Structure formats: C-alpha cells, structure tokens
Amino acid sequence: MQRFPKPIAQKWENYKANQKLVNPANKRKLDIIVVGTGLAGASAAASFGEMGFNVKVFTIQDSPRRAHSIAAQGGINAAKNYPNDGDSIYRLFYDTVKGGDYRAREANVHRLAEVSNSIIDQCVAQGVPFAREYGGLLDNRSFGGAQVSRTFYAKGQTGQQLLLGAYQALMRQVNAGSVKLHTRNEMVEIVMVDGKARGIISRNLVTGKLERHFGHAVVLATGGYGNTFFLSTNAMGSNGSAAWKAYKKGAMFANPCFAQIHPTCIPVHGEFQSKLTLMSESLRNDGRIWVPKKKEDAEAIRAGKLKPTEIAEEDRDYYLERRYPAFGNLVPRDVASRAAKERCDAGYGVGTTGLAVYLDFKSSIERLGRDAIEARYGNLFQMYEKIVDDNPYETPMMIYPAIHYTMGGIWVDYELQTTVPGLFSAGEANFSDHGANRLGASALMQGLADGYFVLPYTVQNYLADDIATPRMTTEEKEFEEAEKAAKSHFEKLMDIKGNRSVDSIHKELGLVMWDFVGMARNKEGLEQAIEKIQGIKKEFWSNVRIPGSEEDMNVELEKAARLADFIEIGDLMARDALHREESCGGHFREEYQTEEGEALRQDDKFTYTGCWLFKGEDQKPELHKEELKFEVVKLVQRNYK
C-alpha cells in the first residue's frame, strides 16, 4: 500500500501542534457568530461553546432540528475498517480524490479522511443509534465510488440521527449559557470593520425587524445553492443567499459550475411540483438498475400496455453492471446519472415520460428475504410508496437523476477561512473537499469534520490575535450602514409591484438551468443560458409581485430576496461552466468526452480551482486560479470498469 509523503501525512498534526491558543479567561471575552444549524453549524457552535467562547447561532428554521441535514438518508463514511475488507485512511483519501475527478485539494481531503474515525466515536458517545452487526460492532454498507464497506448508517435516517446528536450538544451549550440561539432569523448582510468580518445584520422572519449582531469572527454554514434549479432534492427553504452576501463582500466563489446530479431520485411527475425526493444511494447496495433491452418493450411500458414485472430476465439490460463490471451499480453518482440519461435519450426510458429507469430489489428479496430488506430500507420503501402509490417490494422503483448537492461554494483556505479575514465557511457552503463530484455519504462526514474537528482549531488560531479587541456596541457606523443597505434592498424589492409571482420566475430560471447548465452542457447552450438569465433578471426586477409588507412576516419577500441571489448565482454557474472547457465529475461538457462517453479532463489546462471575485453590480466577475498540485495521487483517467 502506498505511503503518504510526510508533508501531507503530517500537515494537520503539525498545524495543531503549532497553532496559537486562547486561554480560558480570554475565550470568555471573544464572540463567534455561526450562521446555520445543520451538521456543520450545530457541531461548530456546540464545540465553540464547550471551549468557552461566547457564541451566537442563527437559523431560518423554528428549531435547529429542521436544518436540511436531517434529509440525508444513507450514511456517513469513515475509515475504521470494521468489515476488515481492506479500508484505510489512504484508501478513503484516494477514493475521495478520484471520485471528485482530481479537482479537489489533496491536503483538505487527507484531513477529512484522517478525522473521519473520530467523528464516529463522537457520535456514538452522543448516543447516535448506528446499525450494528451480529458481533456488536457498528455495521457498514457500501456506497458509490468505493469497493469497500465504510458507510455507517442508522437505517435510512442517518442525517436525522446525526443532527439530533449535534442538536443535543448544541442545546446543552444553550442551556449552559455559552450559546445564544436565534431561531427564525436570516442573515441578510455581513458587517465589515477595517477589512475584517465583525458581525451580521439579520432579519427576524416573524416580525420583519432588522437586527445587528457583533462577532469577533463569523462562520457561515448555510448549505448549498442547488435550489437555483428550482426543482432539486433540497428543502424549499434551502438557499445560497448567505454565501452570496459573502461573495459580494469580497469572498471568492469557487467552482460554481460543480453541481451534483443524484441518480436515485423519484422522477418528476408534473409541472406543479415544487421539489424532488431523493431515494438514498444506499439502495444501490441491494437494488439493481435496469431498463428493457428492447425499445418495443420500453414503448409498451410507457404506453401502459406492459408492466416491468412482465419483462423476462434475459430481456433486461442491467446497464451499469454491463458497462462497469468492477463497480456495477455502485459507480459514483455522476457516472450513474449520465448512464441513466444516455439510456433514456436512446429511447429505453420507462414511466409515462420515458425519463426513468428501474431500481429493482427482486433478486435481493429472493436472496435475503423481505424482512432483511425491510430492516435495512423500510422507511425509504414506505416513503416511495406514499409518493408514487406503488409497492417497491413487488414492483421495481422508478428513479431518474436530479439536482442534489453543490460541490462549488465559498473559497476557503486550509483553515476554512475565506478571502475575507475573520469570515469562515463550513460544510456544503464551502468548496473545499469534494472536487468535481461528491461521493455518497461524504457530505455528513465533511459537515461534522469541519464543525467538530477543524474549526475549533482554526478559528481559535485566528482569534488568538484578537484577545485585545473589545466588543463593539453595534452602534458603530459600519453596522448602521450595513443595516441601511439591507433595508434599502428590501424596500427596492417591495417597490417593484409587478404582475408575476416569485415562483413563476423561479420556475423559468430553473428550466433554463436544467436545460443548458444541467446534466450535459455545451458552449452554445451555456452562451444561451447567460443571455436568458439576463432576461430573467430584468423581468424579475421589473415585474415580480410581492404582497404584504417588509415590516412583518412575509414569506414571499423571503423567497424574492433569495431568488434575486439565485438568478445571479445561475449566471455565475453558467460563466464558470463556459470557461471550463473540459468534462470532470458533475461538469460534463459534450465537446469533451471519451469514445465511450465518459468525462474527458484537460489536465494541462484546467488543473485548478476556478475562483471568482465580485467586481460590482452588472460587472463581469474576475477569474482567479488556485493551482492544484497532486503530490500523492497520480492524475489518470477515472476508470470504474
């Protein structure tokens, strides 16, 4: 097995050994603001509070327990190697770099793999009810992009159970008085003082009141921007606005075009749908993906003349097993998604729209028994049946790719600090650990790694130079100006008084994004997208209708403010995709593919992180490049065959 060169193997240990510390008495003098209470935010706030800092934590929800981390189903990765099947920190590191198509920063990925085992110990200590095997050890299952079983899980509710663990840790600190929790509060501005982030302006979503909050440091842990596409697996309240506010204050935005398409989602069923439902990748452990071999069978199924159970075994095309025999149904998400699209585009898709493939548990039920499958996935099967009104124990599930996770985000350095001093970013809100594609069960790992095991060191290292900085009253001119800017923005929105609902414009944006910046992209389409998005932006700012008042609870105003940001995020995504003339991971340019239809990188031109700097309203952003150096992993064409 390959050994790590000493610099990368020891970088995190060396960092911790040499970081600057803050003594307990001085910690009480320092305030940290955490925005977001998902796994990254809740774990970070709980950790800061336990360390002795004064913490203010903000969530748009009525409880931290409603953060979207709760929706993660299948599991969390770690390199404990309980199944004794060959896993190691190196293998987790390698699989993650390879799964991201060699567009991630090696040092960050190694640290993620290194602390993964501690995350499991932490969560077990909190009482997270991970599944166990017959000998009492925690059980593991497989996820895409790996040939070992390293994913720890709690049935199909892993995100929920992990979030409850982090929530309990957070509320312990709230009860102790070290953390002050602000619910139904949205960050709408970042306050800058002498070039450093020193606080935020938030909007109370119940009263509409703008509030000022000081912090010696600010941590953004607000998730991704997948809802730019309108239809996605994200909760409808998930948004990219906090990250976008940071971008407009000088924080670079990295790799915005890297958006993940998840292969196992319930297909779109109508034009009035508001979100999509994810079926866990864990289902690919025991489910087999197929379409009919014969076009006439697929056509008969689409016409309702034939049922999938009536298709003989020899007439089924298990196309992932056929194309990728080494990994089969457990290829990475981007590979599985493109393969499903290829089959559907070729006329073999099923369902009434032809935009679906089957995920079939027949052979697993015959091999293991229904009780075993129900024990592993019962709640997922129940959810599918409630939505689709079909019994997946008896009829194959129908699935199709959908927008899921965003690998791009706020650029951060090794310390998770943005290009704005004092402003940090964690979890999906930053870009740091996944490259061009995220492997399944790695989102929960990154969120908890950042919150429990990275930020407590790096933020303390930053604050060690701030122990003599007094708290601000929030009456300073910088706070006053930031509040005025936020108020002016909301007044501008309310003054439009147009004719179109927020959702109608958001749906229009989503269609443009999916058609031109979705699963497959090309130069002509991306240029069209940029032009169309500019038209949508003009339509929004001249014709959106927002009922109600800004000085009260106003859900439509919330949605409008977030849509204004989504429109600009969509524009940046298209520009980033246009400039990156290669295919890698979730970014698939049709002009750059192998003869077998796989992603074709251009390592001589694009082995870098694309970092975009805001240059002003209606000005083109400026591209900066962070070169990616691979000292451990060799750059090769990904191969899952």
Side-chain angles (χ1 to χ4, degrees):
M1 174 56 66
Q2 183 173 353
R3 294 177 178 271
F4 284 110
K6 285 186 178 181
I8 196 170
Q10 298 177 355
K11 183 168 184 174
W12 183 232
E13 287 303 318
N14 287 339
Y15 179 91
K16 292 189 291 183
N18 293 286
Q19 70 162 121
K20 291 175 283 188
L21 302 175
V22 179
N23 79 41
N26 284 332
K27 285 174 183 170
R28 294 191 290 270
K29 301 175 185 177
L30 296 169
D31 298 346
I32 303 174
I33 288 173
V34 179
V35 186
T37 60
L39 286 180
S43 59
S47 299
F48 294 144
E50 183 72 36
M51 293 169 74
F53 292 104
N54 296 296
V55 185
K56 296 178 182 178
V57 63
F58 295 80
T59 175
I60 62 173
Q61 312 291 353
D62 57 358
S63 167
R65 290 175 298 175
R66 293 188 183 274
H68 191 55
S69 298
I70 202 171
Q73 299 163 335
I76 177 171
N77 288 332
K80 280 189 172 293
N81 194 32
Y82 283 164
N84 199 28
D85 58 358
D87 203 9
S88 64
I89 288 174
Y90 174 81
R91 199 175 293 277
L92 175 53
F93 160 81
Y94 175 80
D95 286 347
T96 304
V97 172
K98 177 183 176 182
D101 217 351
Y102 307 93
R103 290 294 178 260
R105 190 190 289 150
E106 277 191 336
N108 287 67
V109 179
H110 176 260
R111 178 175 61 190
L112 178 65
E114 186 181 342
V115 305
S116 66
N117 294 339
S118 298
I119 297 170
I120 304 303
D121 296 337
Q122 173 91 359
C123 294
V124 169
Q126 291 172 337
V128 173
F130 286 119
R132 294 181 182 268
E133 48 90 50
Y134 75 99
L137 285 177
L138 301 184
D139 199 10
N140 290 104
R141 56 190 178 199
S142 298
F143 260 60
Q147 291 178 305
V148 297
S149 295
R150 65 163 65 102
T151 303
F152 295 78
Y153 65 98
K155 218 170 185 179
Q157 309 168 1
T158 313
Q160 180 182 15
Q161 298 302 330
L162 290 172
L163 186 61
L164 287 173
Y167 168 75
Q168 290 173 139
L170 174 62
M171 295 311 292
R172 180 175 180 270
Q173 297 305 313
V174 171
N175 187 61
S178 60
V179 175
K180 185 173 182 181
L181 175 62
H182 297 264
T183 59
R184 301 292 286 133
N185 243 278
E186 182 167 21
M187 188 205 88
V188 294
E189 273 292 343
I190 295 171
V191 180
M192 303 286 294
V193 180
D194 296 331
K196 295 181 178 181
R198 289 300 192 191
I200 67 169
I201 305 299
S202 72
R203 182 173 184 269
N204 187 309
L205 298 179
V206 177
T207 66
K209 181 182 177 182
L210 295 176
E211 302 171 358
R212 306 176 186 180
H213 303 276
F214 165 77
H216 289 89
V218 178
V219 176
L220 300 184
T222 50
Y225 48 92
N227 273 349
T228 304
F229 290 78
F230 187 73
L231 284 181
S232 81
T233 66
N234 292 276
M236 292 184 68
S238 297
N239 64 86
S241 289
W244 203 243
K245 302 301 183 201
Y247 168 70
K248 289 196 168 182
K249 289 293 184 180
M252 288 191 185
F253 209 96
N255 296 336
C257 76
F258 289 170
Q260 181 162 77
I261 313 291
H262 198 294
T264 53
C265 301
I266 296 177
V268 176
H269 62 71
E271 61 181 277
F272 300 109
Q273 198 166 346
S274 57
K275 77 175 298 293
L276 296 172
T277 302
L278 171 70
M279 300 307 295
S280 171
E281 182 174 318
S282 64
L283 294 169
R284 291 200 271 154
N285 272 271
D286 291 302
R288 301 177 70 194
I289 297 172
W290 64 275
V291 292
K293 284 183 179 178
K294 302 174 183 176
K295 280 189 179 180
E296 55 265 32
D297 286 346
E299 291 166 358
I301 288 173
R302 293 197 292 268
K305 297 176 181 178
L306 198 62
K307 296 179 180 179
T309 50
E310 296 172 338
I311 303 293
E313 188 69 20
E314 60 269 20
D315 292 327
R316 300 180 177 193
D317 178 16
Y318 296 95
Y319 57 87
L320 291 178
E321 298 172 33
R322 168 173 56 82
R323 290 180 59 177
Y324 309 101
F327 282 74
N329 294 296
L330 288 172
V331 292
R333 291 173 175 177
D334 61 310
V335 176
S337 295
R338 283 196 296 274
K341 181 180 187 296
E342 185 276 329
R343 286 291 80 193
C344 292
D345 288 351
Y348 296 92
V350 298
T352 56
T353 63
L355 296 177
V357 299
Y358 288 126
L359 180 60
D360 197 337
F361 290 84
K362 179 176 178 287
S363 61
S364 293
I365 291 173
E366 290 175 351
R367 185 179 77 254
L368 302 169
R370 173 168 169 159
D371 289 349
I373 298 300
E374 190 168 355
R376 294 177 183 177
Y377 315 111
N379 62 308
L380 299 173
F381 277 50
Q382 183 184 42
M383 181 172 69
Y384 179 88
E385 185 169 8
K386 283 185 175 180
I387 293 171
V388 181
D389 193 25
D390 204 358
N391 184 344
Y393 293 104
E394 299 172 359
T395 306
M397 288 183 181
M398 285 192 296
I399 57 170
Y400 193 69
I403 291 291
H404 180 49
Y405 184 98
T406 48
M407 286 76 64
I410 305 172
W411 183 91
V412 291
D413 61 14
Y414 187 67
E415 296 183 288
L416 303 187
Q417 187 168 200
T418 72
T419 46
V420 173
L423 181 64
F424 295 77
S425 184
E428 190 180 358
N430 75 34
F431 89 105
S432 66
D433 290 0
H434 306 297
N437 173 64
R438 178 178 66 81
L439 292 183
S442 289
L444 305 184
M445 177 173 61
Q446 187 210 347
L448 292 179
D450 288 355
Y452 283 138
F453 298 107
V454 180
L455 286 172
Y457 293 95
T458 62
V459 173
Q460 181 177 203
N461 185 66
Y462 170 79
L463 290 176
D465 295 329
D466 252 353
I467 57 175
T469 302
R471 291 188 174 95
M472 296 183 178
T473 65
T474 71
E475 295 301 316
E476 292 81 1
K477 63 179 177 61
E478 291 88 350
F479 282 87
E480 182 180 349
E481 289 169 358
E483 183 178 329
K484 283 182 179 178
K487 184 173 177 58
S488 174
H489 182 65
F490 288 116
E491 288 174 345
K492 184 179 178 182
L493 287 166
M494 293 301 302
D495 286 343
I496 298 171
K497 302 186 187 307
N499 298 310
R500 292 187 60 181
S501 69
V502 176
D503 282 352
S504 72
I505 299 176
H506 198 168
K507 286 181 181 179
E508 184 180 343
L509 172 67
L511 284 172
V512 170
M513 294 299 296
W514 180 252
D515 289 342
F516 301 108
V517 201
M519 219 182 319
R521 305 155 176 182
N522 57 57
K523 183 176 186 292
E524 181 182 357
L526 290 166
E527 289 172 344
Q528 284 187 55
I530 292 169
E531 184 178 342
K532 288 176 181 293
I533 291 169
Q534 292 305 310
I536 292 170
K537 183 176 183 179
K538 183 177 180 180
E539 173 71 3
F540 172 85
W541 283 106
S542 63
N543 200 26
V544 74
R545 182 184 73 250
I546 307 171
S549 164
E550 69 181 276
E551 298 174 349
D552 203 349
M553 179 184 286
N554 192 334
V555 176
E556 288 300 304
L557 179 57
E558 294 171 37
K559 286 161 55 177
R562 295 166 189 168
L563 177 56
D565 296 330
F566 279 139
I567 292 170
E568 295 181 357
I569 291 171
D571 178 78
L572 189 63
M573 290 179 71
R575 292 180 187 278
D576 188 42
L578 182 62
H579 111 273
R580 188 169 283 276
E581 295 179 336
E582 67 166 350
S583 292
C584 55
H587 168 63
F588 191 76
R589 284 284 297 266
E590 293 173 340
E591 304 96 324
Y592 305 95
Q593 55 183 303
T594 66
E595 292 181 0
E596 295 80 24
E598 307 294 346
L600 182 62
R601 298 194 317 271
Q602 303 272 40
D603 291 334
D604 59 331
K605 299 178 181 177
F606 295 98
T607 307
Y608 61 77
T609 298
C611 311
W612 296 91
L613 180 66
F614 179 67
K615 299 298 290 183
E617 297 294 341
D618 298 319
Q619 301 295 313
K620 290 184 179 180
E622 183 176 278
L623 176 64
H624 295 249
K625 301 174 183 179
E626 180 203 352
E627 183 182 356
L628 295 173
K629 297 180 180 179
F630 290 89
E631 302 171 1
V632 179
V633 177
K634 184 180 179 181
L635 284 171
V636 295
Q637 178 70 34
R638 279 195 309 175
N639 183 5
Y640 292 98
K641 297 180 178 181

